[in-house]
């Protein structure tokens, strides 16, 4: 099946620093990638949708200047948390929709645990 | 906006059937999904059903869809301890980028 990877799987950073999370579709091209945030024992909240080569579309309440998304190629999207604060600590999950194949398909990465101290 | 509701917790004994229920509000949903999440891991697609179907069976999994009541269920036959996880119901709408809206997840605990 299709595989989506995320790197790093866990990261601890100091308050005020920036952290970049990578999301890659390993064996397919993804026209659309999604970034979600999940708090403990909570559901996934969509943060933004990105299409290759264009600006990301952010959900209401998500600060686009704080959560920078770059979808540079058909296999890579990055999420940069700028000037991170402890309240940004969360589990970040990306998802990718294949360029080709059945329209129902959407695959999820294993997630990145961000802890801001 | 779209809303997806699930019961939060289900406990069953190994070998029993599990039924996880979900309701949704978006009548323009195209696909409805069930995902499984194990602790500290991402989401694994278990199964999906297209909105014009009533039922779908895939090995131990049976999905039932009642479009009139906007009710979706996932039945796991012969539940095993390895099925213990959080199960998310999600619906995909026609609007915008056809994003997924998730329920809060149902924690399934299977005891020996």
């Amino acid at each position: 099946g299709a595989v989506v990877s995320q790197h790093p799987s866990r990261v601890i950073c100091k308050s005020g620093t920036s952290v970049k999370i990578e999301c890659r579709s390993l064996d397919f091209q993804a026209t659309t990638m999604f970034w979600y945030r999940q708090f403990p024992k909570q559901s996934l909240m969509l943060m933004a949708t990105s299409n290759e080569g264009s600006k990301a579309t952010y959900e209401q309440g998500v600060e686009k200047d704080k959560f920078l998304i770059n979808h540079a190629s058909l296999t890579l999207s990055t999420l940069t948390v700028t000037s991170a604060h402890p309240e940004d600590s969360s589990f970040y999950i990306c998802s990718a929709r294949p360029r080709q194949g059945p329209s129902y398909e959407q695959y999820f990465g294993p997630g990145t645990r961000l802890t801001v101290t | 906006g779209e809303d997806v509701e699930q019961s939060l917790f289900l406990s069953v004994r190994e070998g029993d059937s599990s039924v996880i229920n979900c309701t949704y509000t978006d009548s323009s949903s195209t696909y409805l999904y069930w995902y499984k999440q194990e602790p500290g891991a991402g989401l694994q697609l278990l199964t999906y059903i297209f909105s014009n179907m009533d039922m779908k069976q895939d090995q131990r999994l049976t999905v039932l869809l009642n479009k009139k009541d906007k009710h979706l269920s996932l039945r796991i036959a012969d539940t095993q301890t390895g099925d213990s996880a959080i199960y998310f119901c999600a619906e995909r709408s026609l609007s915008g980028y056809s994003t997924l809206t998730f329920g809060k997840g149902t924690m399934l605990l299977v005891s020996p």
Side-chain angles (χ1 to χ4, degrees):
Chain A
V3 177
V4 176
S5 71
Q6 283 185 240
H7 178 78
S9 57
R10 288 178 177 271
V11 58
I12 300 172
C13 70
K14 290 186 183 296
S15 190
T17 61
S18 294
V19 173
K20 181 186 282 189
I21 303 169
E22 291 186 348
C23 174
R24 292 182 187 273
S25 54
L26 297 186
D27 49 3
F28 65 96
Q29 292 182 328
T31 44
T32 306
M33 286 186 168
F34 306 87
W35 286 96
Y36 294 85
R37 183 173 180 176
Q38 186 182 30
F39 291 103
K41 299 182 181 179
Q42 294 288 320
S43 186
L44 280 74
M45 300 302 296
L46 179 65
M47 298 174 68
T49 303
S50 72
N51 285 296
E52 185 263 339
S54 61
K55 288 185 179 180
T57 301
Y58 290 81
E59 295 298 300
Q60 194 170 11
V62 178
E63 299 175 60
K64 57 183 70 175
D65 293 331
K66 181 168 185 61
F67 298 100
L68 301 178
I69 291 171
N70 186 330
H71 193 157
S73 75
L74 285 170
T75 59
L76 172 66
S77 177
T78 60
L79 167 67
T80 301
V81 183
T82 62
S83 186
H85 289 282
E87 57 265 31
D88 299 325
S89 297
S90 192
F91 194 51
Y92 292 87
I93 303 177
C94 75
S95 179
R97 193 171 285 170
R99 185 182 191 185
Q100 293 175 322
S103 57
Y104 70 84
E105 289 183 330
Q106 185 164 334
Y107 298 99
F108 285 79
T112 296
R113 173 76 59 194
L114 170 64
T115 303
V116 184
T117 59
Chain B
E2 302 90 359
D3 195 20
V4 179
E5 298 284 341
Q6 297 177 240
S7 51
L8 296 182
F9 185 75
L10 177 65
S11 178
V12 300
R13 288 193 177 275
E14 192 172 23
D16 289 349
S17 292
S18 307
V19 179
I20 302 173
N21 294 299
C22 169
T23 58
Y24 61 97
T25 58
D26 188 359
S27 56
S28 71
S29 297
T30 54
Y31 292 101
L32 295 127
Y33 301 80
W34 285 103
Y35 285 90
K36 177 183 180 182
Q37 185 181 36
E38 298 188 23
L43 271 68
Q44 173 196 353
L45 176 63
L46 285 178
T47 187
Y48 71 95
I49 188 167
F50 190 47
S51 58
N52 68 353
M53 297 166 66
D54 297 322
M55 187 185 89
K56 181 178 180 183
Q57 188 153 1
D58 185 1
Q59 298 182 340
R60 291 192 296 126
L61 305 179
T62 302
V63 179
L64 294 178
L65 174 61
N66 181 328
K67 288 182 288 294
K68 176 175 169 290
D69 295 338
K70 298 191 182 68
H71 181 268
L72 182 75
S73 67
L74 172 69
R75 179 176 179 271
I76 305 173
D78 187 25
T79 315
Q80 303 297 307
T81 54
D83 294 325
S84 293
I86 299 176
Y87 290 79
F88 289 95
C89 168
E91 63 91 18
R92 179 171 164 181
S93 69
L94 279 174
S95 58
Y97 287 108
S98 297
T99 57
L100 297 183
T101 300
F102 287 85
K104 285 187 163 55
T106 299
M107 179 178 287
L108 174 64
L109 181 63
V110 184
S111 53

